[in-house]
Amino acid sequence: MADGGARIEPTGGYLGVTRSLSGRLWRQRTACPDLARRHQQAHGLSEPLARALAARGVDDAAAADFLNPTLKALFPDPSSFADMDRAAGILVDALEARRRIVVFADYDVDGASSAALIVRWFRAMGLDLSIYVPDRIAEGYGPSPAAFRRLKAEGADLVVTVDCGAAAHDALACAGEIGLPVVVIDHHLMRPGEVPPVAALVNPNRPDCGSGQGHLAAAGVAFVLLAALNREARRRGLTSSGEPDIRGWLDLAAMGAVCDVTQLTGFNRALAAQGLKVMSGWANPGLRALMTVAKGGSTADLGAASVFHVGFMLGPRINAGGRIGRSDLGARLLSTDDPAEAATLAAELDALNASRKQVEAEVQEAAVRQIERESNFGDAPCLIVADDGWHPGVIGIVAGRLRERYRKPTVVIGVDRAANVGKGSGRSQPGVNLGRAVQAAYESGLLLAGGGHAMAAGLSVRPEAIPELREFLCAALADETCAAAAEDGLDIDALVTARGADRAIWRDFQRLAPFGPGNPEPMFAAADVRVERPMALRGGHVRCTLTDGSGGRLKAVAWRAGDTEAGRRLMQEGGAIHVAGRLKPDDWQGREGVELEIEDVADPRRT
C-alpha cells in the first residue's frame, strides 16, 4: 500500500537519500496538507492520490476539471487568438473560390498532425489540399524563399504553414514580393515586435495574442482553427448539409500535444485526454496501420491508446521519416483515408525507424566513448561532443540521452567535412538556460547560426571553432550548472512495498493521467528491497525481481542502465537498496499485474 505519512523534508532526503547512485537528492513532492485533505473529501480520493493532486498545483477550483478534463469546460474562444478570425476568413474565401492551397508543414509529429487536421477539414468540405514538407538535410527547418518560389511557380494560390513560419522572415518577405499569400499557424516563441507582414499569423506565443494558450502544440492551435473554420463556414451558409465533426480528429491533436512534449494542463490536457479516447477507436487508417506494424503486424484488438503508445511507439516512427527518410511520409500517413496506402506508408516508416535506432545507437556509443576517453569532459559544466559523419537526424535524440546519463547540458555536433560545417543539437538540465548561451555564442561570432530555448538549442559551427565553442559554453554555463546540480533531485509521490505495489494503486493513480510536462507521471519509492534474478538484456537494459519484508515480489526493469552505476548495482544480489520508479501495467498472459520501471537506485550505506 502507499505510505500516507507526513511529508519528509527535502533537506534530509526522502528515505535519507541525499545522493543516489545517479547523484540525485530524493524529495517527497511538496503538497499543502489542507488542500490534499479537501481534495480527498470533495472527490473521494485516497490520501496518497489527493496529496499527489495537491502537489501538482491543482487547487480546489480546478480539481474537478483536472480529474475529468472536457472540451466543453475548457475549450477557448477561437476569437481570443490574434488573427484567428482573419485566418478563418481567408481560408474560407479560398475554399469558396476553389483556390489551390498548399499546407507547408514541419517534418516532425506536430507538423504532420497539424497538416493532417487542416487537410481533413478541407477534404470534408470538398477541396483537396497539397502538402509540402521540406527535406531536413537539403532544406533545413521551415519555409525558405526557394521553397515559396517553387510553390508559386507550381501554381499555389495560398500557403498555410503549420508548426513553422513565425520566424521565417526572409521567406515571408519573399512571399510578399512574389504575390503569394501566407497564413501562418505556429506555436514557437516570438520576440516582441517581430510579427511579420503576412495574410494572417495565428500563434498563441506572438506578443500581442491574448488567448493565454501559449503551451499548446501547433496541432492544438490547428484544432482551434478548425472550430473557427466551422464557425465561419456556418455563418456563410456553407454547412447546410452538415459541418465537419472535428471531434473525430482529436486523436491528431493529442499526437501533437504529447509528441511535442507540451504542458498537459488546462485546455491542452483536455485535448490530450479526449484525443486518446478518440484514438482508442483506431478509426484513423494511418494510426491504425502504424500501431499494427508497431505491435508486430497483429490485427487483433489494438486496445486503448495511452501516452506511452503515442510517445514511444507511434511518434518515433512518424518522426523517422523526417530524421533519416522522406520528410513527408508522416503527414501523408496521418491524412490518408486509404487503408492500403496507410499500410504501405506505415511499413516504410517502421523500417526507417529501425534504421534510425541503429544510427542513433552508433552515434551514442561513439559519443560516450569520446566523453569517457577525454578526462576533462566528465567534470565540465557542459558536454560538447563532435565527430565526422554523425547523422543530423539523430543528434538531438543522442543529446537527450547523454543529458539523462550525465545530468548536465549536452551538445552533439555532426560534422560535414565536405561542406565544412558542423550541425549541432543540444539538450539541457532544468535551471540551465542552454538556448541563451547558444544565442550569446552566435552573437559573439562563434557560430554560423544558433538559438533555441532554455531546454533545447540548435546551432551551426565551423569545425575549427568547436574547441573555442566548448570553452565559451562551459564558461557561460558554469554557475548555472553548478546551481542546478545542487538542486538536481527526484520527487517522490508515495512509498510502496513489494506487496502493496499492485494493480489497484496503479489504477488509482491513473485518475491523474494523461501524464507529461506540468503533470509528471507518479514516482514511487520502495525501501530496503533486495534484488533477485537480475538479468542483463539486449540494448543495455536490466530486468530483476524486488523483494522486501512484506513478502511480496515486484517485477522491475531499468532501461538503458546496464553500463551505469545503478545498473551495475542492480546486477548484484547482495544487500538492501532503495529504488524509485514508475508503475506500469503488466498484462503478460492475462496476469493484470504491475512492473516498476526503475528511474533511480540508492544504496543506504552511501546516502
Side-chain angles (χ1 to χ4, degrees), residues 399-482:
R401 301 278 193 226
L402 297 178
R403 197 281 313 169
E404 292 173 5
R405 178 181 178 126
Y406 295 103
R407 314 295 301 170
K408 61 181 63 178
T410 303
V411 178
V412 179
I413 302 172
V415 177
D416 182 344
R417 291 292 174 184
N420 192 36
V421 67
K423 295 291 184 68
S425 185
R427 299 294 182 270
S428 194
Q429 277 288 92
V432 183
N433 194 325
L434 179 61
R436 182 171 59 200
V438 168
Q439 181 66 32
Y442 171 71
E443 292 171 354
S444 298
L446 284 173
L447 302 175
L448 301 173
H453 53 80
M455 297 300 291
L459 58 86
S460 296
V461 61
R462 293 296 183 202
E464 61 272 17
I466 291 174
E468 189 177 356
L469 173 65
R470 180 179 291 113
E471 293 180 8
F472 182 96
L473 291 180
C474 284
L477 298 174
D479 291 343
E480 288 184 22
T481 298
C482 182

Side-chain angles (χ1 to χ4, degrees), residues 486-508:
E487 292 295 320
D488 189 17
L490 187 67
D491 293 315
I492 309 295
D493 286 288
L495 185 67
V496 295
T497 63
R499 180 181 294 277
D502 57 15
R503 193 68 165 223
I505 191 172
W506 172 82
R507 190 176 293 112
D508 190 32

Side-chain angles (χ1 to χ4, degrees), residues 205-227:
N205 284 307
R206 62 180 278 179
D208 58 341
C209 184
S211 68
Q213 299 294 329
H215 55 292
L216 289 179
V221 182
F223 192 80
V224 177
L225 173 65
L226 300 195

Side-chain angles (χ1 to χ4, degrees), residues 190-362:
M190 298 176 64
R191 296 172 182 166
E194 77 166 357
V195 179
V198 291
L201 192 155
V202 182
N203 182 347
N205 284 307
R206 62 180 278 179
D208 58 341
C209 184
S211 68
Q213 299 294 329
H215 55 292
L216 289 179
V221 182
F223 192 80
V224 177
L225 173 65
L226 300 195
L229 289 171
N230 267 353
R231 186 172 64 183
E232 180 64 17
R234 190 186 316 126
R235 187 184 69 80
R236 299 189 191 189
L238 302 179
T239 58
S240 56
S241 59
E243 65 187 31
D245 184 358
I246 65 175
R247 293 172 299 178
W249 304 323
L250 276 165
D251 49 4
L252 297 173
M255 287 293 298
V258 173
C259 293
D260 229 48
V261 200
T262 59
Q263 292 281 322
L264 296 185
T265 57
F267 169 57
N268 204 36
R269 176 172 168 79
L271 280 180
Q274 300 303 322
L276 289 172
K277 291 179 182 179
V278 170
M279 192 183 300
S280 297
W282 302 108
N284 183 293
L287 291 175
R288 181 176 183 82
L290 197 59
M291 181 56 79
T292 299
V293 76
K295 287 195 168 187
S298 172
T299 57
D301 179 25
L302 296 178
S306 68
V307 167
F308 172 80
H309 295 121
V310 172
F312 294 93
M313 297 177 73
L314 299 172
R317 286 170 169 81
I318 293 172
N319 275 333
R323 291 191 184 280
I324 64 171
R326 292 163 49 202
S327 57
D328 65 343
L329 292 177
R332 289 172 54 199
L333 176 83
L334 297 181
S335 58
T336 186
D337 287 323
D338 181 352
E341 182 185 21
T344 299
L345 292 170
E348 187 171 355
L349 285 168
D350 187 61
L352 285 170
N353 189 55
S355 299
R356 185 271 307 169
K357 288 192 287 187
Q358 179 63 35
V359 172
E360 176 193 326
E362 292 170 355

Side-chain angles (χ1 to χ4, degrees), residues 425-601:
S425 185
R427 299 294 182 270
S428 194
Q429 277 288 92
V432 183
N433 194 325
L434 179 61
R436 182 171 59 200
V438 168
Q439 181 66 32
Y442 171 71
E443 292 171 354
S444 298
L446 284 173
L447 302 175
L448 301 173
H453 53 80
M455 297 300 291
L459 58 86
S460 296
V461 61
R462 293 296 183 202
E464 61 272 17
I466 291 174
E468 189 177 356
L469 173 65
R470 180 179 291 113
E471 293 180 8
F472 182 96
L473 291 180
C474 284
L477 298 174
D479 291 343
E480 288 184 22
T481 298
C482 182
E487 292 295 320
D488 189 17
L490 187 67
D491 293 315
I492 309 295
D493 286 288
L495 185 67
V496 295
T497 63
R499 180 181 294 277
D502 57 15
R503 193 68 165 223
I505 191 172
W506 172 82
R507 190 176 293 112
D508 190 32
F509 273 80
Q510 284 301 296
R511 295 186 65 179
L512 300 180
F515 304 113
N519 180 32
E521 188 169 357
M523 186 68 62
F524 298 92
D528 297 317
V529 297
R530 294 182 181 274
V531 177
E532 292 185 357
R533 295 184 296 177
M535 181 184 305
L537 305 179
R538 183 178 180 183
H541 315 308
V542 176
R543 188 174 292 282
C544 63
T545 298
L546 303 175
T547 64
D548 60 16
S550 71
R553 301 172 65 82
L554 177 60
K555 293 173 64 176
V557 62
W559 304 116
R560 297 183 298 276
D563 61 349
T564 67
E565 190 172 1
R568 289 188 287 270
R569 179 61 186 84
L570 290 171
M571 290 300 296
Q572 303 170 12
E573 296 191 64
I577 58 173
H578 303 327
V579 298
R582 304 168 185 85
L583 289 176
K584 301 290 185 178
D586 178 16
D587 296 326
W588 176 249
Q589 295 183 333
R591 68 189 300 267
E592 288 200 348
V594 294
E595 177 178 75
L596 184 72
E597 287 191 352
I598 296 174
E599 169 70 20
D600 203 2
V601 177

